[in-house]
Every structure is written in C-alpha cells, then in structure tokens.
C-alpha cells in the first residue's frame, strides 16, 4: 500500500499527503471536460441539422432529408435524425455514417408522415441491402448496418425509391 501511494505521488508530482486533493482536482477537471465535450457535440449536431435541412426535398406528400453525417456513434446518428425530423412537417430523414469502417443507417419518420403511409422499417430494409447489411424497425424509426461503405450513395437512392412508392 505504501509503495502504491509513493508511486502515485511520484506520477502525480505531489506529496503523499496531498494525493486525495490532487485526485479530487483531476476528477473535477475531468467532469468539466466531459461537460465541454457534451456541449460541443450538441453544437456540432445542431450545425449538422441546419446543413441537412438546406437539402430538404419534396417527394410526393413528404418532406425528405437525405445525407451523410460525420459522427462517432449510432447514438449520435439517431440524435441528429431526431433533431432534423423535429424541424420537418410530414418529414422523413435518412442518414448514413461510416463508423469504424462499417455503415450505419437511420431512418426517422414523423407522425404525420407515418399517417400518410411512410414506414421507416420498410425504407431501411431496402437501403441496408445496398450496403451489404440488414436492419429494420418501426414505422417511425428504423436502423441498420452494413459492410460496404462505398455503397452508401446507392443506399440513399434505394431509400428514396421506396419513399417514392410510399408517396404514390
């Protein structure tokens, strides 16, 4: 135990009596950095949403946003899809990302779009085939994964084709 305390004191460049205070300081700094990172991620997500909304297109009775997001996780991808869908009326959002050399896809449809016949699960099934993967979900939200990142544009085309069918 004394050796561990001595080793920690040396690594933290502090006296052993001040170890607890030093660890508390590091923990506080870590918490502050995590909050800053969270804040930055929210800011980045909102900026991504604004950029995506600039490309909204009308397909029949739906307002559709299709795009690639630069995210690090499926959670972030879903969050951007949610934020984007909130800004649309009768909206469908199709997002893709390459995370760890694999494709992640999310389709989100708002309540109005679902009432008008949109089904995120059916959209994602077709899109996922294009990237060599599979997925599914509910009428309002679905997700999928795949192996072929270079086929992401084709996945978007497949998704739009299904929306065109659902719009007619």
């Amino acid at each position: 135990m004394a050796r561990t305390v001595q080793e920690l004191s040396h690594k933290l460049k502090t006296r052993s009596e001040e170890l607890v205070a030093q660890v508390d300081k590091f923990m506080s700094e870590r918490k502050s950095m995590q909050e800053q990172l969270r804040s930055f991620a929210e800011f980045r997500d909102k900026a991504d949403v604004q950029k995506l909304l600039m490309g909204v297109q009308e397909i029949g009775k739906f307002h559709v946003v299709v795009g690639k997001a630069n995210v690090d996780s499926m959670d972030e991808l879903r969050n951007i899809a949610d934020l984007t869908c909130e800004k649309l009326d009768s909206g469908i959002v199709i997002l893709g990302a390459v995370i760890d050399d694999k494709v992640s896809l999310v389709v989100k449809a708002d309540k109005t779009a679902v009432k008008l016949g949109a089904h995120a699960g059916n959209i994602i099934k077709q899109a996922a085939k294009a990237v060599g993967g599979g997925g599914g979900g509910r009428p309002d939200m679905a997700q999928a994964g795949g192996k072929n990142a270079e086929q992401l544009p084709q996945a978007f085309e497949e998704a739009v084709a299904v929306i065109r069918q659902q719009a007619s």
Side-chain angles (χ1 to χ4, degrees):
M1 179 73 126
R3 182 174 175 200
T4 303
V5 169
Q6 184 180 15
E7 200 173 313
L8 284 172
S9 295
H10 178 71
K11 285 187 182 220
L12 297 175
K13 295 180 172 99
T14 190
R15 296 181 317 172
S16 58
E17 311 76 64
E18 298 170 352
L19 259 178
V20 172
Q22 190 71 6
V23 169
D24 287 344
K25 177 183 168 194
F26 285 142
M27 290 175 67
S28 176
E29 289 173 355
R30 179 177 176 261
K31 183 179 178 183
S32 175
M33 283 188 220
Q34 286 176 321
E35 288 171 7
Q36 288 175 2
L37 283 171
R38 223 177 342 267
S39 178
F40 175 75
E42 287 176 23
F43 176 78
R44 185 190 65 197
D45 289 353
K46 288 177 183 173
D48 286 349
V49 168
Q50 292 305 316
K51 184 178 171 189
L52 288 165
L53 287 171
M54 290 175 18
V56 68
Q57 54 185 305
E58 280 191 50
I59 300 176
K61 49 201 166 191
F62 304 120
H63 294 100
V64 180
V65 170
V66 180
K68 184 176 178 184
N70 295 313
V71 297
D72 297 323
S73 70
M74 183 58 102
D75 286 341
E76 284 182 84
L77 192 62
R78 278 192 303 266
N79 185 48
I80 292 173
D82 288 342
L83 291 171
T84 305
C85 200
E86 287 172 9
K87 304 286 184 191
L88 299 171
D89 183 41
S90 65
I92 302 172
V93 177
I94 302 130
L95 295 181
V98 179
I99 304 169
D100 297 327
D101 298 325
K102 293 182 182 160
V103 178
S104 294
L105 296 167
V106 170
V107 176
K108 176 83 176 168
D110 72 6
K111 290 178 185 180
T112 305
V114 171
K115 285 180 186 174
L116 292 172
H119 194 293
N122 294 340
I123 296 167
I124 203 97
K125 283 178 187 172
Q126 279 304 121
K129 287 179 186 177
V131 292
R138 306 179 310 264
D140 65 325
M141 200 292 232
Q143 63 186 46
K147 301 173 286 215
N148 304 326
E150 67 280 354
Q151 294 297 319
L152 190 55
Q154 179 65 29
F156 291 148
E157 288 176 22
E158 293 291 333
V160 169
V162 173
I163 292 169
R164 287 190 198 288
Q165 290 174 351
Q166 292 178 354
S168 55

